[in-house]
Amino acid sequence: MEFTSLVDTSLDLNFRPLRVPDEVPKQEVESNFIGLGRDLMPVKDEAGDLLEELNRVSAENKKLTEMLTVMCQNYNTLRNQLTEYMSKQNSSGGEDHSTGSKKRKVESNNNNEIVKSVQGLHSESSSSDEDTSPKKPREEHIKTKISRVYTRTEASDTSLIVKDGYQWRKYGQKVTRDNPSPRAYFKCSFAPTCPVKKKVQRSVEDQSILVATYEGEHNHSKTDATGPVTTSPSSRLNAKSSLGVTHSIVPCSTTLINSTGPTLTLQTDQKKVNSNTSTSSPSGHKRKSPGSDHQQNRPEFQQFLIEQMASSLTKDPSFQAALAAAISGKFLQNNHTDK
DNA sequence: CGTATTTGACCGGCGC
DNA sequence: GCGCCGGTCAAATACG
C-alpha cells in the first residue's frame, strides 16, 4: 500500500527541517549582519532566531500531526481490510484451503487469535492462560506470539530463506496438503534457549511471495555479527535511517522490506498492521465485502487504536533510539551553530 | 572434522 | 479406533 510512501518512518523527515533553517538562515543572518553594518543589536538577532525557531517548531509540529493523521487513516484502512479478510476466512473456512475438507484446530485457533487481537481485546494473554477449553495440550503454544511476514522473492528462488536478521536452523521440510510448495521449519539457533520458530512457505496464489510465520518471542537481541544480518531486511530498514543509529529490533514486530519487493507484516499480538505498496499480497485480493467493522468505527475504539499506536511507538527501542539520536543531534547542532 | 542441511520416519492431535 | 495431517526428530549427507 502507499503507507511508507506517504510516511517516512526513518525520522529523516522530522530531522531535515531542523537542519535547513539552521544552515540557510544562518547565512542570511550573517549577510544581513554584514550588509547592514555592525550596528544591529545581537539581542534582536537572538529574538529573530527564537521566532524563527518557534515558527519552525510549529511547522514541524503541524507536519507531525498530519503524518499522524495519515498514519491513523492508513492504519484503520489496513486493519479494516485485515478484519474483513479474517472474518471472511472464518466464515468460509478459508479460501486458501478450498480443497481441504478438514481444517486443523490449531490453524483455526490461530485465526481466532488474530481476529481477537484485531478486535482490540486487552486480555488475550490472560484469557489464553485461563482458556476454558477442556483440551488444552499446550498452554504455551496458545500464548506464543504469532506473526506473519509476506516477503516477495524471485519465483525461481527455491531456497525458502527469509532474511530477517536472526540466525535460523532448518529442522524440517514438509509438503502440506493445501499448498503444493514445501513448507520449511526453522528454529532460532542464535540462543539455545530461544523458543522462536519460523515456518516459511510460498503463497498459493503468488509463488513469488514467501509467507513466513513466526511463533514466539526472541529472548535475545538480533544476531548482529553473524549470518544474513548484513543484508537482512530489518537491518536495511534500520540503515535507512539517516541518523546512523544501530539498534536491535523488537522481535517479530517489524515490517520487513525485502530487496525485491514489498512485504506485509500482520501483527497478531500488538494490534498493529503495517504495509507498504503491496496490493497483491495473499490477503489483498480477498478484500471484497465491506462491512463487519462496526466496532472499529466507534470513536472510543479509534481512541484506543491511537493509544495503542502511541504505546507501540514509545515501547519500541528502535523508535526510542532514533528519537534520542535525533534530539541529541539537534542539541549538538545547536551548540555547534551557536559558537 | 565440525557444522548445517536434507529427508524419511515417527509422533500426536483431530475428525470421522 | 483408524486414518489423515502437520510438526518434529535424527540419521545421512553436503559443505567449508
Side-chain angles (χ1 to χ4, degrees), chain A residues 216-228:
Chain A
E217 287 180 81
H218 293 279
N219 55 14
H220 56 87
S221 60
K222 281 194 154 189
T223 60
D224 287 323
T226 57

Side-chain angles (χ1 to χ4, degrees), chain A residues 25-37:
Chain A
K26 188 187 166 195
Q27 291 172 347
E28 286 175 3
V29 167
E30 281 175 2
S31 64
N32 286 344
F33 202 74
I34 295 167
L36 297 174

Side-chain angles (χ1 to χ4, degrees), chain A residues 204-216:
Chain A
V204 184
E205 292 86 1
D206 191 344
Q207 294 288 305
S208 65
I209 291 178
L210 286 177
V211 182
T213 306
Y214 295 85
E215 294 180 20

